[in-house]
Amino acid sequence: MITVANPIYDVVFKYLMEDKRIARTILSALLKEDIIEVDLRPHEYVNDKRDSVSVLRIDFGARVRRSDGSEQLILIELQKTWLETETLRFRQYLGVQYDNPDNMQDGGEHALPMVAVYLLGHRVGDIDEPVLYVKHKAYNYDEQLVTKGLPDPFVDSLTHDSIIVQIPLLRGHLTHQPGGRTHGKERLDRVLSIFDQSNGEGRNKRVLNIDDSMYSGDDDMEHIIQRLAMAAGDSKLRQDMNIEEEFISAIERRDTEILHRDYALAKQKVLIDEQKSQIDEQKSQIDEQKSQIDEQKSQIDEQKSQIDEQSIRLARKDESLKKSIQLLSAANLSPEAIAESLSMSIEEVKRFLQ
């Protein structure tokens, strides 16, 4: 076993990828291409810590030998982050590359073909694949694959392939026995095994314990392990790793506090919404009761109006009857005769004659 610096740290990863041989080894395995030459593009190293996370971005120019023997210059934009970050930030970095005149070819007519590589210290949704290849293809209207005339500089200038590596899923993928250089997926597993965080040393995340015998006979991998071992013994790098870890820890603490705060606010919002729903329900019941009261009041008013109308009719009837009785009395008819002729009681007749 050998103790090496953990390349998930930005300072270690940058130190690793500044070695052209190592950069070519790692990028060749990821791209599944024969990379002849790779160069770190000038002034393109960015470690952005302005907002919520640290995003390391390194841009490479790589000369690739194709299967037909031809060579092509491509741009590789590599972005690495510890924690989850916004998709927008990755898109903004890509936009900078599309807008960079140094990334043009053919006299500025077309852009260099570009591959975006994302090394993520977190998982992406429910995707279980450690390495995800996202490739663009061309189709006609009938959804049939178009291959004639492709690749084309114009098409390649407007689209790009992506490779996404989920570092948390790189656990125990190295199964090859020692003995020389490997190829294909076995090669990729071996290269990415240096990021396997299950090889960590307890709480000390800054170093990994690697079985270097697994890489015996593989010169490129032995070179990578040696450089990581050198990084582990470099006092300046160790100090920078401590600073970086403190920065990430501060972000994690802040994000945890934000998570707890958001949870409390969400819980409070649920209670408020529930109380509001109860208040709205009570208000609805009160409005319904008020509507019933208004309806009863309307019925009472209608009944009162009917009673008043009946009272007026009765008063008019009594007044008419009183005049008739008075006229009959003036004609010298006795109260008894008037009562008999009007089918009334003698008491009612006498009441009207008073």
Side-chain angles (χ1 to χ4, degrees), residues 52-55 81 83-90 120 122:
S52 58
V53 297
S54 171
V55 177
T81 180
L83 307 174
E84 290 192 48
T85 186
E86 308 88 355
T87 306
L88 177 60
R89 175 170 295 178
F90 288 143
L120 306 180
H122 61 88

Side-chain angles (χ1 to χ4, degrees), residues 123-352:
R123 293 194 56 176
V124 178
D126 296 325
I127 301 174
D128 292 328
E129 290 294 331
V131 184
L132 192 67
Y133 289 86
V134 183
K135 296 188 175 183
H136 69 273
K137 294 184 181 296
Y139 300 88
N140 64 14
Y141 182 83
D142 298 317
E143 299 295 328
Q144 296 174 333
L145 185 65
V146 175
T147 57
K148 183 179 179 181
L150 296 175
D152 178 80
F154 178 81
V155 176
D156 291 340
S157 295
L158 300 175
T159 55
H160 68 273
D161 294 339
S162 298
I163 303 172
I164 301 172
V165 179
Q166 301 185 81
I167 293 177
L169 297 180
L170 300 176
R171 302 174 66 89
H173 280 265
L174 182 59
T175 58
H176 180 72
Q177 297 299 317
R181 182 182 176 85
T182 52
H183 300 279
K185 187 176 184 302
E186 193 174 6
R187 182 62 176 172
L188 180 61
D189 288 343
R190 175 175 285 200
V191 167
L192 293 181
S193 67
I194 63 173
F195 296 97
D196 188 345
Q197 299 301 297
S198 64
N199 294 324
E201 191 178 82
R203 292 185 177 181
N204 185 5
K205 300 178 182 179
R206 296 184 294 276
V207 297
L208 302 176
N209 293 320
I210 291 181
D211 183 0
D212 57 334
S213 66
M214 295 298 293
Y215 309 100
S216 178
D218 188 332
D219 293 341
D220 289 334
M221 289 305 301
E222 287 181 346
H223 182 63
I224 292 176
I225 300 302
Q226 289 171 4
R227 189 162 177 85
L228 287 175
M230 290 173 57
D234 189 306
S235 59
K236 177 64 168 60
L237 281 177
R238 289 201 306 270
Q239 182 182 0
D240 290 343
M241 291 170 71
N242 289 335
I243 295 173
E244 184 176 337
E245 188 170 27
E246 289 176 3
F247 173 78
I248 296 299
S249 297
I251 290 175
E252 288 178 332
R253 286 194 300 270
R254 188 207 63 184
D255 288 349
T256 300
E257 292 174 358
I258 291 174
L259 182 65
H260 289 163
R261 183 198 66 189
D262 290 347
Y263 175 77
L265 289 175
K267 189 175 181 180
Q268 186 178 14
K269 183 179 183 299
V270 170
L271 292 175
I272 292 173
D273 290 343
E274 186 177 348
Q275 291 174 351
K276 183 178 181 297
S277 177
Q278 293 175 352
I279 292 172
D280 290 341
E281 184 177 353
Q282 291 174 354
K283 183 178 180 297
S284 177
Q285 293 174 352
I286 292 172
D287 290 341
E288 184 177 354
Q289 292 173 353
K290 183 177 180 298
S291 177
Q292 292 174 352
I293 292 171
D294 290 341
E295 184 177 354
Q296 291 173 353
K297 182 177 180 298
S298 176
Q299 292 174 351
I300 292 172
D301 290 342
E302 184 177 354
Q303 291 173 354
K304 182 176 180 300
S305 177
Q306 292 174 353
I307 291 171
D308 291 342
E309 187 177 348
Q310 290 176 355
S311 297
I312 293 172
R313 285 201 300 268
L314 287 173
R316 289 176 179 174
K317 182 178 179 182
D318 287 347
E319 183 66 25
S320 176
L321 187 60
K322 181 178 181 180
K323 289 180 179 180
S324 298
I325 291 172
Q326 289 176 345
L327 289 172
L328 291 174
S329 177
N332 297 319
L333 287 178
S334 64
E336 291 76 6
I338 294 172
E340 182 179 358
S341 65
L342 296 177
S343 300
M344 296 175 61
S345 66
I346 187 66
E347 289 78 9
E348 289 178 317
V349 172
K350 288 180 178 180
R351 180 170 63 82
F352 284 110

